[in-house]
Amino acid sequence: MCLANGYTQAELKALSERERNVPQASVSFPELNQHALLEKARQFELQSKNQLDDALSPLLNTGRHNPNESAKGVMVFVSLSMPDTSLQQLLMQSADLQVPLIVRGVLPTGFTGTVKRMNKLINNKDKPINSGFAINPQWFTQFGITQVPAFVAIKPGKCQAKQSCSPDDFDVIYGNVSLYDALALLSQHGSVPDIAANTLNVKTRAEGQR
């Protein structure tokens, strides 16, 4: 019997047999050196950690910042999405007054992009700023920070790690002001004026010792 496509039943059967007998190519992959891959991954992780250490604040102990550390003194809450000029001014002021800058977490670009942005801000124009950032989302939650910049002064011994923090235990002001102006306002109108005043006097005491 002749089919419409021009092949007889016998010819179609023969073609089918030939199709089934076509050898299947096996899938092969180049042999991977797992040890070399693990070593490269380890080196990348170490490099990334070293870069992060360089970008973290030297004002929060030396070495890596402990995310479970209790907040104390004066802190400035910022975001890496803020304009460069604003962040660099706050970085210079934080170095001057020994006050750390706190960010909530990493940027949408990921860990590498976050470190790159931190280092760019700190090393602007080949003149490094002796300050940095601390990554601590817990502090944002503890003090109810929902907008930045925010300037916080904390009562001594209060707001311990992983504990709730009463609004009576700290002062906070928001706004695009300098750290100096924020401390002046906190020292004049806050419930813990001594903390802000003492921090503001760091520069005065340092200049007096020269």
Side-chain angles (χ1 to χ4, degrees), residues 88-108:
Q88 285 167 342
Q89 288 177 347
L90 286 173
L91 278 168
M92 289 186 287
Q93 294 162 13
S94 76
D96 199 18
L97 297 176
Q98 299 294 288
V99 173
L101 303 186
I102 316 300
V103 296
R104 186 188 298 274
V106 299
L107 294 169

Side-chain angles (χ1 to χ4, degrees), residues 51-97:
Q51 289 177 338
L52 180 60
D53 282 346
D54 292 338
L56 291 181
S57 178
L59 308 177
L60 281 168
N61 302 324
T62 56
R64 293 190 182 91
H65 164 59
N66 178 6
N68 295 321
E69 182 180 358
S70 296
K72 60 183 178 180
V74 172
M75 293 183 169
V76 182
F77 291 81
V78 298
S79 169
L80 292 174
S81 62
M82 289 170 55
D84 288 8
T85 301
S86 298
L87 286 173
Q88 285 167 342
Q89 288 177 347
L90 286 173
L91 278 168
M92 289 186 287
Q93 294 162 13
S94 76
D96 199 18
L97 297 176

